[in-house]
Amino acid sequence: MEQTLELLSLSPPGWGANLLRGLAASIQIALGAFGFGLIIGFFGAMGKLYGSPWVRDLLEVYTTVVRAVPELVLILILYYVGTDILNNIAGAMGRGPVEINGIAAGIWVLGIVQGAYSTEILRGAIRAIPPGQTEAARAYGMPRALMARRVTIPAMTAFAIPGLANLWLIATKDTALLAVVGFSELTLETRQAAQTTRAYFTFFLAAGFLYLMVTLFSGVIFARIEKWARRGQPSHRGG
Amino acid sequence: MMRAMLIPRRLIMLGLFAAFVVWCAVSMDWSWLPRYAPLALDGLWVTIWLLVVTIVLGFMLAVPLGLAQAIGPWYLAVPARVFCTVIRGTPLLLQIWLLYYGLGSLFPQFPWIRESELWPYLRQAWPYAVLSLTLSYAGYEGEVLRGAFASVQKGQIEAARAFGMPRHKIFFRIWLPQAIRSALPTLGGETILQLKATPLVATITIVELYAVAGRVRQDTFIIYEPLLLLAAAYLVIAGIITLGFRWIEGRGPRMSR
C-alpha cells in the first residue's frame, strides 16, 4: 500500500505528476477536438439540411466514411496527410520540415472524426425544432444569420445535448488512441510509468480512475447544461 | 437503391470515384501487394474471427447484465450498473493494456498457474484480446439491453403468465425475443463500433488486418497505399454488417409501434 502511494506521489520518485500532465493534455485535446468537431458539425448539419444536392451528397460520403472506418486508421491517415500538407507548404515557402505540435495534431485528427458525428447529432436536433418557430422567424423577415443565432441554435440546444454529451465522452476516450501514434497523453504516460516501474496494475487502475472521474464529472456538467437548455420548456413530469 | 444512384449528379460522382480508384491503381505503388496478400488475408480472418467471437460471447454476458439492471434485486443491479459504467467510462485501449500487461505480469508469479494446462494459452496475446473485447461489448450492450428489457410491454409478460408458462419459457419465448427485436437497430450500430475497436488489439501483438498494414509501412516505408486499402476493407465489412442487420430487421412481424 505504502509502495503504491509512493509510486503515485506527485514528486519525482512517484509518477503522479506525469499522469496529471497526461490528463491535462488529454483534456486539452478532447476539448479542442470537441469544439472543432462542433464547428464542422454545425456547418455540416446546415449543409445537409439546406445545402445544394451536391453538398448534401458530399457530406453524406464524409459522415458515412468517417463513421465506418476505425478511428485508429483515420488518425493515421489524417496525421500523415496533415504533416505532408504542412511540410509541402513549408517547403514551398523555402523552409525545412515543420515540427508538429502533438496537441494541435491531436485536435486536427480527432476533430475531423468528431465532426462527422456532430453533423448527424446537430442535423437531428435542428430537425426536431417545431417548424412553426423557424417559420415565425422567417415571417418576421429575420435574416438567416440572425435566425440561426436567435432561433435555431437556442431551440436546438436542448435536443442536441444528450447526443453531444455522449460525443464528448467519446472524445475523451478517443484521445487514448493518440497513444498509438506516440502523443504523450494520459494513456501513453501511464504505459511509460507502468513499464518503467513494472507496477502495471497500479498505474493502469489509476489512469482508469482518472478517466472515470472525467466521465462522471462530465455527466454532472451536462445534466446541468441540459436543465439550463430546457428552461421554459414544459416538463413531462408535471409541476 | 439502384434508381437513386442513376441521377446524373450521382453518376458524375460515381465517375469521379471510379477515376480516383483508377488513378490510385495506376500511379500509386502497389508492388508490395502480392508479397503481403497472404498475410493480409490471414489478418482479415483474424479480424472477422475476433469480431464474431467477441460479439457472441459479449452478448451472452450482456443478457444477464441487462436483466440484472432492469429487474434484478439491488445486490445484482448495483454491480451490473457499476460494471457498465466503468467499461463505458474508460478507454478500451486502457482496458486492453490493463488486462494484457497487468494480468500478464501477475500470472507468472503464481507457480500453480504456470504449471496448469492453461498456461500455454495464457502466455499468448489472444486470450487477453478476446477477454477485453468481450467485456467491452458486454458493457455497452448491457446498457442497451437494460432499456430493451424494460421497454417490453407488461401485458405481454402478464399474458404469458396467465397461460401458465414457466418462468424460463416466458423469458426465452416472450421477453428476450421482443427485447432483442427492439434493440436490433442499436445492436447493428454497436456491432460496427466493435468492428472499429478490433484494430486496438494490434497494440498487444495480435496480427489482424490493421497490424498487417502497419507491418507493410514499417517494412517498405509505403504509407498511404496500405492505409487506403485498409480503410476500404473496413468500409466493405461495415457495409456488409449494415446490410445484414437490415435483412434481419426486415424479417419477421413488424412491431406495432
Side-chain angles (χ1 to χ4, degrees), chain B residues 145-182:
Chain B
L145 284 183
R146 174 182 66 90
F149 279 126
S151 76
V152 173
Q153 281 159 12
K154 216 169 178 189
Q156 302 265 357
I157 316 285
E158 284 167 355
R161 212 173 285 155
F163 271 108
M165 274 195 188
R167 282 177 80 174
H168 67 272
K169 204 173 195 178
I170 295 181
F171 181 71
F172 284 109
R173 284 262 177 90
I174 312 287
W175 210 356
L176 186 62
Q178 295 200 31
I180 291 179
R181 174 158 283 273
S182 74

Side-chain angles (χ1 to χ4, degrees), chain A residues 71-95:
Chain A
E71 280 80 1
L72 208 50
V73 179
L74 290 174
I75 285 172
L76 278 182
I77 294 179
L78 290 171
Y79 179 72
Y80 285 119
V81 169
T83 39
D84 268 6
I85 291 176
L86 280 185
N87 279 334
N88 280 340
I89 294 175
M93 282 159 53
R95 290 203 202 131

